Amino acid sequence: KYTMTSHTYIIYHPTLGDVTIKLNPRATRISGRWKMGKVVVTAPVGVSPQRLQQALEAIAHKLIARKTEFRYHDGQIITCPDIAFSITRQSFKPDNIIVNPALPETKIQLGTNIDIEAQTTTAAISKVLTNVAYRFANTLILPRAKALAHALGTRPQAWRIGRGLRTLGTCSSKQIITLSSTLVFMPVELRDYIVCHELAHLTEMNHSAAFHRLCNMYCNGREAELRAKLKNFPYPVLR
């Protein structure tokens, strides 16, 4: 079965469930990822249904292997640098999630009628976490990023905070660095690695050998180590 809206298709896969297919004119290959508990596949415009099905079968096992199964639970505390998130139950509004955004602790209280095991609840809590992270990202992320840039003798034209869950940082041709609010959930060393990566792009707007030498220098020789840690970092939100 499938439905279609513009350049977005939803098809059913017996193992992956409903899969969203996004046709992108800039895509040169077929790739898949998890987003909010669902599989999203990006494919070039004009790809045939047969080719799409073949590609999906080829990457299905990799997607299953990468899937992060997690649920939030009552009494859980998610500890991040400079902020913690606590998840508890409340009976004042049994059908609602009450959020008290604050530093150093943000309280997330689930109504007693809410099924904490449901995937919809997981998605809702994840969205709350990402929204709070975005709210405080300027305070939690930018001061250290600017200090690191100063220490390395680099001068971006401007800094911005984005909401990207998978794109953690960018550096534009105008030398404007955008850091994802998702960095709020990361340990300081991984935050610094993302910042160093983007600072290196001020000089090398590519991923050449020269770029990696510079990035590695900014990271005190730890680029490969930190890249591996980032790859295996257990995010506390759906991505």
Side-chain angles (χ1 to χ4, degrees), residues 7-173:
H7 290 296
T8 300
Y9 301 77
I10 299 176
I11 64 175
Y12 178 78
H13 187 274
T15 303
L16 302 172
D18 285 339
V19 176
T20 299
I21 309 295
K22 293 189 175 182
L23 302 181
N24 188 333
R26 293 180 295 178
T28 58
R29 63 187 182 88
I30 299 172
S31 60
R33 61 187 176 90
W34 291 96
K35 183 177 181 180
M36 301 300 287
K38 301 287 186 179
V39 173
V40 177
V41 172
T42 301
V45 173
V47 65
S48 69
Q50 294 82 7
R51 173 72 184 100
L52 188 59
Q53 189 64 37
Q54 291 171 355
L56 189 56
E57 291 302 327
I59 64 175
H61 70 284
K62 295 180 181 179
L63 289 168
I64 292 296
R66 290 206 306 262
K67 184 177 182 181
T68 302
E69 289 284 2
F70 72 93
R71 294 287 187 274
Y72 301 105
H73 58 82
D74 184 18
Q76 182 176 2
I77 297 178
I78 300 170
T79 304
C80 310
D82 305 313
I83 186 171
F85 302 86
S86 62
I87 301 172
T88 57
R89 288 289 200 176
Q90 54 83 16
S91 57
F92 308 108
K93 294 185 178 180
D95 297 316
N96 297 94
I97 298 176
I98 299 176
V99 184
N100 298 290
L103 294 173
E105 181 183 2
T106 287
K107 297 181 180 180
I108 304 170
Q109 298 175 301
L110 274 65
T112 50
N113 288 347
I114 295 175
D115 180 5
I116 199 170
E117 296 292 329
Q119 179 63 36
T120 52
T121 305
T122 298
I125 296 174
S126 179
K127 186 175 182 179
V128 167
L129 290 169
T130 56
N131 285 342
V132 173
Y134 182 76
R135 175 171 180 166
F136 292 120
N138 277 294
T139 299
L140 299 178
I141 299 298
L142 291 189
R144 183 176 177 88
K146 292 177 180 178
L148 186 55
H150 179 75
L152 293 172
T154 57
R155 294 185 178 181
Q157 289 299 309
W159 296 86
R160 293 176 181 170
I161 292 293
R163 287 182 174 270
L165 288 170
R166 300 189 69 83
T167 301
L168 301 175
T170 62
C171 178
S172 73
S173 58

Side-chain angles (χ1 to χ4, degrees), residues 194-216:
I194 298 298
V195 174
C196 288
H197 184 105
E198 301 311 326
L199 291 174
H201 278 313
L202 295 173
T203 303
E204 300 288 343
M205 289 294 292
N206 50 53
H207 289 103
S208 63
F211 164 82
H212 287 292
R213 283 194 297 270
L214 182 60
C215 184
N216 190 50

